[in-house]
Amino acid sequence: MHEASLVHPVSAQWDWQHEGLCRTRSPELFFHPDGERGAVKRAREERATALCHACPVMEQCRAHALGVPEPYGVWGGLTEEEREQILSAADVRSVG
């Protein structure tokens, strides 16, 4: 296989972000302010994840968030806690 066929432009890895519905919203929808808790936090996360579930690049965003892993905010329809649970479960499976 020719080496050039293995090289992809870096922009190709990130082009999906241009299609994200989150680009049309305030970052405060996806990232909680200091001290936010309880019902207020859940309501904000529900609004953010609802937008994510309508987004054409939700799967790419989710894969990015789990692969990096992104520690903060709602990404790919997953909250910080949901991503942590998924990654913790994957760690347990890889060890066991």
Side-chain angles (χ1 to χ4, degrees):
M1 184 180 302
H2 190 276
E3 266 188 61
S5 65
L6 298 176
V7 177
H8 301 283
V10 173
S11 65
Q13 296 175 17
W14 303 105
D15 280 348
W16 60 268
Q17 291 183 350
H18 296 290
E19 303 299 320
L21 294 179
C22 58
R23 292 177 55 88
T24 65
R25 301 299 193 280
S26 171
E28 286 80 20
L29 177 60
F30 301 94
F31 297 93
H32 66 82
D34 287 341
E36 181 187 62
R37 289 179 176 53
V40 173
K41 181 178 179 183
R42 282 190 302 277
R44 181 192 49 76
E45 288 177 337
E46 287 173 6
R47 289 190 310 274
T49 57
L51 185 67
C52 291
H53 287 283
C55 184
V57 295
M58 184 184 82
E59 293 301 323
Q60 295 96 320
C61 182
R62 181 176 290 184
H64 162 78
L66 292 170
V68 170
E70 288 288 352
Y72 303 109
V74 172
W75 290 79
L78 298 173
T79 65
E80 297 166 10
E81 292 80 12
E82 290 168 332
R83 289 193 309 279
E84 186 176 316
Q85 289 174 350
I86 290 168
L87 293 171
S88 292
D91 286 344
V92 168
R93 284 192 301 274
S94 69
V95 171

